[in-house]
Amino acid sequence: MCHSGTRSAIGLMTVPKLPVACWLALRQRLGTYAFVVVIAVCPVAARADLPSDHGIDAARVRAERLPAWGTDGRVLYSTCTFPDFVNAIAFVNRLVAPAETRGHHPDLAISYNRLEIALTTHEAGGLTELDFALAEDIADLIANAEDLSPTCKPHR
Ligand SMILES: C[C@H](O)[C@H](O)[C@H]1CNC2=NC(N)=NC(=O)C2=N1
């Protein structure tokens, strides 16, 4: 019953996409009170694209395999320092291609030669495969960016 669907207006649950006739039949069968209870208990965590508690642990295990990436279970993050601002911006420019290819974009914060990279799927409110795929792309960029001398660590 609880599967990925339209996020409800109150944002606390997912309302499965069913024809109106189904909803009316369900309400008639359950009665209005039970119908509301059923709808209200569909937890967001039941969505296939949101990590449940198990998913958060799994995210941490997967992040450990990614050099220089850490996670709190909802966001993947890495902080890279460069010799100077020019190199930091040059690296940011190299992020454009994989982000545009995947249609998935990092959250970036730059302070002089320090670049903080955060990956999460905003539309899902947490980590999805896109975040791990883009993290692997960025790990490859880091490994091949000797000319920019990045030092990246798995913390914020
Ligand atoms: C329409 C466009 O593809 C979407 O808005 C994409 C863009 N890039 C994105 N990037 C990230 N990190 N999360 C998203 O939910 C997301 N959505």
Side-chain angles (χ1 to χ4, degrees):
M1 178 71 187
C2 295
H3 59 77
S4 62
T6 307
R7 187 185 284 271
S8 72
I10 56 176
L12 297 180
M13 57 189 175
T14 55
V15 181
K17 292 176 183 166
L18 292 173
V20 173
C22 287
W23 288 117
L24 293 175
L26 187 62
R27 186 176 66 80
Q28 189 172 7
R29 185 174 177 78
L30 295 175
T32 304
Y33 176 75
F35 175 74
V36 170
V37 169
V38 165
I39 295 303
V41 298
C42 280
V44 170
R47 287 182 59 170
D49 54 2
L50 276 183
S52 60
D53 290 344
H54 169 69
I56 289 174
D57 293 338
R60 287 199 174 99
V61 170
R62 287 187 68 177
E64 285 166 5
R65 295 190 205 126
L66 292 168
W69 287 94
T71 187
D72 61 2
R74 298 282 179 193
V75 178
L76 294 173
Y77 46 78
S78 183
T79 297
C80 300
T81 55
F82 299 83
D84 53 34
F85 179 69
V86 171
N87 281 19
I89 295 298
F91 185 80
V92 167
N93 286 327
R94 294 183 188 178
L95 297 175
V96 172
E100 287 298 297
T101 299
R102 294 195 183 277
H104 196 67
H105 303 82
D107 297 322
L108 304 174
I110 290 203
S111 178
Y112 174 51
N113 67 329
R114 174 185 167 95
L115 171 63
E116 294 181 7
I117 308 172
L119 299 176
T120 191
T121 303
H122 299 292
E123 291 168 344
L127 288 174
T128 66
E129 280 305 317
L130 283 171
D131 299 303
F132 288 98
L134 188 55
E136 288 170 1
D137 292 342
I138 296 172
D140 288 346
L141 284 177
I142 292 167
N144 295 298
E146 299 92 343
D147 58 320
L148 301 178
S149 307
T151 303
C152 299
K153 296 188 183 330
H155 59 54
R156 287 179 167 167

